[in-house]
Amino acid sequence: MALWRTLSIPIASPHGLILSFLLLLHSTVTTTVAIRVRTIIHDPSPVKLPVFREAPAFRNGDSCGSNKDDRIHIAMTLDENYLRGTMAAVLSMLQHSTCPENLSFHFLCAHSDVKLVSSIESTFPYLNFKIYRFDSNRVRGKISKSIRQALDQPLNYARIYLADILPADVKRVLYLDSDLVVVDDIGKLWDVDMEDKVLAAPEYCHANFTVYFNDAFWSDPVLSNTFQGRNPCYFNTGVMVVDVDKWRKGGYTKKVEQWMAFHKKKRIYHLGSLPPFLLVLAGNIKPVDHRWNQHGLGGDNFEGKCRNLHPGPISLLHWSGKGKPWLRLDSRKPCVVDHLWAPYDLYRSSRHFLEE
């Protein structure tokens, strides 16, 4: 006699989706289990994801703690077009960290894509990570067109909402772009003394700060006084240490949003998410050693021409700008600095060394 039982089991996916499965159990001499998916997940991305090699496992050193307070929280966005860069960035941090098992990654993505999750799990089987869906509708009405299309993507603005997205027990977070590699122990950056500041990052006071805002801003007598009482310097928002508690309590998300809303009415800058950060925080952050953001390796925002390294010690290489190392390597037209990124490339079909 055959016995059939029907079980409806809700299973939470890593994306926060609920999958409903129908299990049919047939008992005869042998047991047959059939699984039919009742809820079909629509894959919003037509992009075919690259295939990556599995990264080696990295273990903690003897000096590493194992408590919750020993965690190093790192937030990054997760996007199909930058996935290859994200994988290289994660590998570089694990490889150079004294306590790699203490790294906890928080990935923000625009779509609940099971393929992205599967790709991370298969590439880094031992990685501590969570994925959060960033609702693009939060910024769609606030984004103004900038000088480069990539800067206008909603996910580029997700860093503004870290305090709203991350769990309440995350008190501090490192936000890192996907087009970088870390060649030092990331724990050193994590341990920076923030001196009661809400944000820490390398400052570049030699840069011409006025170019980040247009003439309409500087010619306005009220707007031009925005930085009064501050010594504003440029900082790159692709490498930041954020005191999440202070950000929440100080209402910094709202402050940045207010400048974005103002810019919709009157254009006062050209770039994407950077200028509103500068308007709110420039001149009031904790400066970090420049070694933690050797930025601009992707060239300018228009042509992405090659650039040389700045003099001095380096802990982090950052391909900010239009040119990305994986694209230039694949085109066989790399810049010299792109070969510093190549050893961290886990792309299965990548060529790290070009033919002469």
Side-chain angles (χ1 to χ4, degrees), residues 234-248:
Y234 161 72
F235 65 91
N236 182 281
T237 56
V239 179
M240 303 184 292
V241 188
V242 181
D243 187 317
V244 185
D245 264 355
K246 283 189 173 62
W247 185 283
R248 291 190 187 109

Side-chain angles (χ1 to χ4, degrees), residues 304-341:
K305 292 182 178 179
C306 295
R307 287 183 178 175
N308 297 322
L309 294 174
H310 304 297
I314 298 171
S315 294
L316 186 150
L317 297 156
H318 187 187
W319 279 261
S320 57
K322 185 177 181 181
K324 302 306 172 189
W326 55 92
L327 297 177
R328 296 195 296 212
L329 286 163
D330 286 354
S331 69
R332 298 193 175 190
K333 296 178 181 178
C335 299
V336 174
V337 294
D338 297 340
H339 294 285
L340 298 174
W341 179 89

Side-chain angles (χ1 to χ4, degrees), residues 269-289:
Y269 53 79
H270 304 294
L271 293 174
S273 61
L274 169 64
F277 265 90
L278 297 179
L279 286 162
V280 174
L281 290 160
N284 195 27
I285 70 171
K286 166 66 177 181
V288 174
D289 195 298

Side-chain angles (χ1 to χ4, degrees), residues 51-115:
V51 178
F52 300 96
R53 302 186 303 275
E54 181 179 321
F58 297 92
R59 301 302 182 191
N60 280 356
D62 295 336
S63 62
C64 299
S66 57
N67 297 322
K68 188 176 180 180
D69 292 341
D70 296 315
R71 288 278 181 196
I72 296 175
H73 295 281
I74 300 163
M76 304 179 73
T77 57
L78 201 58
D79 178 81
E80 296 93 338
N81 297 319
Y82 284 80
L83 185 59
R84 193 164 158 190
T86 302
M87 295 297 193
V90 172
L91 175 62
S92 71
M93 283 181 265
L94 294 172
Q95 183 172 321
H96 294 288
S97 176
T98 302
C99 306
E101 292 179 278
N102 289 357
L103 303 188
S104 184
F105 288 87
H106 304 264
F107 295 114
L108 284 61
C109 63
H111 307 290
S112 300
D113 191 338
V114 292
K115 292 180 182 178

